[in-house]
Amino acid sequence: MSFIFFLGALFLFVAITNEVVLEKEQEVDLWVFKFFKTYIIRNGLTPLMYAITHFCSTVFVQLVYPFLIVMLLIFKYYRKAIFTFVAGAGGMILIYLIKIFFQRPRPPYPLLYKESGYSFPSGHATLSFILYGTLAYFVWLSNFPKTVKILMMFFLMLLSLSIGISRIYLMVHYPSDVLAGFCLGYSWLFFLIYWFRIKYPLSA
């Protein structure tokens, strides 16, 4: 079943790339922006969205990844440290290469501030899924009670989803950028989990 989701994520990423980047179709993106403006964007909600988006900012990622890797090394979880490094570094390289290749401009009218760089795919969405998905996978491999595992994994995935939504809310990414980012993050993380299970099982 997980392999079917992997293929589905890859297919959706390719479909989004073809539709909105190559053919430059923006009707759905613009409709979602209009929906957010009409029904979701509120003055009281904006500070929360601004705070949530920073849980996968460049500075945050640059601090969290080294800290997480060092802690894993200290507690002698060497394979998990390597997994974390490969997941994060590989994800950043993928995002950089894809952004440079497609060079999609960002939305022209952000809610609060403009961001530099290209728009497709959303780096926040991709890296948040990789980072919090990695933590969720480690939780699943832990000895916590099953109920605790499920709750922790749900929270981590909800945080990743919220970060993606915050990028749409703040209008610094098109919705298709965010969805493509989640697909890319899921595909990369699934590939690593599969490869490590065969070559270097993390539970060993």
Side-chain angles (χ1 to χ4, degrees), residues 5 23 36 51-52 62 69-70 76 78 82 85 93 97 99 110 121 135 137 147 154-155 159 165 171-172 181 194-195:
F5 284 132
E23 296 187 4
F36 267 67
I52 288 174
Q62 289 175 344
I69 291 169
V70 168
K76 299 182 179 179
Y78 300 121
I82 295 172
F85 173 78
I93 292 171
L97 293 176
K99 281 179 178 287
L135 294 176
Y137 181 54
T147 302
F154 176 78
F155 170 78
L159 179 57
I165 292 174
M171 297 187 183
V172 290
Y194 178 79
W195 190 78

Side-chain angles (χ1 to χ4, degrees), residues 18-94:
N18 179 70
E19 188 73 13
V20 303
V21 180
L22 301 180
E23 296 187 4
K24 302 186 183 303
E25 298 289 342
Q26 292 188 322
E27 286 81 0
V28 175
D29 281 331
L30 297 178
W31 181 87
V32 174
F33 274 158
K34 183 177 180 181
F35 179 85
F36 267 67
K37 287 180 181 179
T38 304
Y39 299 105
I40 298 179
I41 294 177
R42 297 292 183 270
N43 290 336
L45 186 58
T46 300
L48 176 62
M49 291 290 104
Y50 182 74
I52 288 174
T53 205
H54 281 83
F55 279 94
C56 203
S57 65
T58 301
V59 174
F60 183 84
V61 169
Q62 289 175 344
L63 291 174
V64 168
Y65 264 108
F67 174 78
L68 181 57
I69 291 169
V70 168
M71 293 302 295
L72 290 169
L73 290 173
I74 289 175
F75 287 98
K76 299 182 179 179
Y77 294 115
Y78 300 121
R79 292 186 180 184
K80 288 181 179 178
I82 295 172
F83 181 95
T84 303
F85 173 78
V86 174
M92 292 176 191
I93 292 171
L94 279 174

